Amino acid sequence: MNGDLASPVSEVQASNSDGEEQVLHNIYLRERLKELHKMMEYDIGSVVERRLSAFQDEHLPVAGCLVAGNSSAASSFTAALTRSHSIHSKGMKKSGELPKREFVPRPSLLKELLTVNHIESIYNIFVAILVLLFCNKVLEETVQTGSPNLDLSLIAWAFGGLDRVIVIWVCMFTSTSVLVYLCFHHWAHHRHTLPVAYDVTAGVMYLVYLCLFLFLPMRSVLHYELPPASSIIVLAEQVRMFMKTWAFVRSNLPRARAYKKDDDTEDDILCPDFSHYLFFLFAPTLVYRDKYPRNETCDWQKVINDLGHVVGCLFYTHFLFARFCVPVFQKFGRESFTGTNLLVAVFSCMFPGSLVLLCGFFAILHAWLNAFAEMLRFADRMFYKDWWNSTSYARFYRTWNCVVHDWLYEYVYRDVVNWQRRQGAGCARLRCVPMLVVFLISSVVHEYILAFAFRFFYPVLLVMFGGFGVAFMFVNSKARQFNIFLWVTLIFGTGILMCLYSMEWYARINCPPVYNGFWDYVVPRSLVCEFSSDSE
């Protein structure tokens, strides 16, 4: 009897649950349709233009390289693309000019996806892994020491010297905000009196400032012997402020140079107000605009949640290194390490290396940037796209980090393309050049941060990013199977990076130096150490 009663009750509960899910599903779809309607109302022409420019960014450099030896194929390809652009870009930009970055109100992709139960379950899986890693660490400490002492000495050491980091950051920010703005403001308002003298003097001073801005923070990192995490904070902020400075000067340079002595121009046209520049320095974007789309309110609960995610990812990374990295490599150089051990170590580093990569993405590109965007009511939060669905490395590089990609496109790629066009048709056909310049700058900056943070030059990332990364750019396919290829190579690459950099780090702890001075920082000690141990 009870079973007969329980069956209808369970059916009613199941139907109620299905009804609730259907209601939530309908609400979600309705909200998404409203947002889609607003975006379509914004500007149909700009949407078409962005799609065409995205097509150009993805396929034009590769196609230009492939058909560089065939002038007729190159000219027909360029002509077809030009006709397609001319249909949709009338009145929107100058003829032949690449489109600029447009800012529109939109949320981050994961913010939307995490409202779906299925995607939220994937997020819960990563949280469960963090809980298990925490329990593993507590159990290990209990067995070894007899008490559940959670050893966080690795984090404390990696972030040591934060007081000096703060002092260095304040100095960098003061020079970037006050010194750069005052000098640019003075130049913009007085260059019309003696254009040549002002331009030459300002150009030389600007280059000297950029050189000092690159040298002094790096010298401070070495002088105070800051540990890796603290060094990365200083060097990453140095690069960020350098890019912000370049973006501000580069964006406002043309309108200041276009001013004539007899023009009736307002001051904010020659040089933006300081409040605009100050907002830009904190805004989660590297592309300067006088105004950005803003939200009406700030939800501080979202800020707290995002900053909590950053802290959680920090502990996540700590547990991964403490569990999978330190025990494997801490005796490197003191015990025999064969080629077989290296291969096993690479494969054992693939899982933790991939999780570290995902933690870094989620902590910085999602949580950290969204926290600042919410605090500043910055509405355009397209910091990344669905890079995990990429079927080519060309699309992966464009969608992984949209913040840096936008800066490289706006101030490097577009400028190189425009320079090529000014040089003539022969130079303009070399469409590989802008892409290679972008890869060169990006790979060198990444290697610069790692080299001075770890105190050794080991160009594994430079070779993989600037070598294999460029080669994989020419592997283009829309087939979903290539997504598997991308993930396999990405996971394998992170395993190699984590393994080789860990070996070199512990080799410099356990192995005596072979060379003195500069060569000790350039020659990998892990190779020399293993060679000498094998010879013995």
Side-chain angles (χ1 to χ4, degrees), residues 459-523:
V460 180
L461 181 62
L462 183 66
V463 172
M464 294 182 65
F465 189 32
F468 294 103
V470 175
F472 287 153
M473 281 282 292
F474 298 95
V475 182
N476 283 302
S477 175
K478 297 297 182 182
R480 293 299 302 168
Q481 290 79 3
F482 277 82
N483 182 252
I484 301 176
F485 168 79
L486 184 140
W487 273 105
V488 169
T489 53
L490 198 63
I491 293 173
F492 187 69
T494 54
I496 293 177
L497 290 174
M498 187 174 185
C499 176
L500 295 183
Y501 278 108
S502 299
M503 289 170 53
E504 182 64 21
W505 175 266
Y506 282 103
R508 292 182 174 271
I509 295 176
N510 300 325
C511 301
V514 179
Y515 303 97
N516 295 322
F518 172 76
W519 290 107
D520 182 53
Y521 292 97
V522 176
V523 178

Side-chain angles (χ1 to χ4, degrees), residues 303-337:
V303 176
I304 296 175
N305 292 338
D306 287 329
L307 294 179
H309 286 145
V310 175
V311 176
C313 289
L314 177 63
F315 282 97
Y316 211 135
T317 304
H318 166 263
F319 291 138
L320 288 172
F321 273 97
R323 176 66 181 84
F324 296 100
C325 180
V326 175
V328 175
F329 298 102
Q330 63 181 349
K331 294 182 180 180
F332 180 85
R334 293 183 295 181
E335 297 180 354
S336 177
F337 202 83

Side-chain angles (χ1 to χ4, degrees), residues 100-101 103 176 180 184 206 209-210 238-255 272 276-277 280-281 283-290 292 403-404 406-412 414-415:
K100 293 185 177 182
R101 168 73 156 88
F103 291 89
T176 303
V180 171
F184 185 85
Y206 183 54
Y209 166 78
L210 292 179
Q238 176 199 41
V239 173
R240 185 184 71 89
M241 293 182 189
F242 181 96
M243 298 168 75
K244 294 267 190 179
T245 301
W246 188 276
F248 174 76
V249 174
R250 175 64 183 84
S251 298
N252 294 285
L253 188 68
R255 59 184 182 183
H276 295 163
Y277 179 52
F280 169 65
L281 290 180
T285 180
L286 296 173
V287 177
Y288 178 81
R289 296 290 185 268
D290 289 339
Y292 302 94
V403 179
V404 174
D406 291 340
W407 188 90
L408 290 170
Y409 170 78
E410 188 87 8
Y411 303 112
V412 178
R414 291 179 74 250
D415 286 351

Side-chain angles (χ1 to χ4, degrees), residues 63-75:
C65 292
L66 295 177
V67 303
N70 189 337
S71 59
S72 60
S75 60

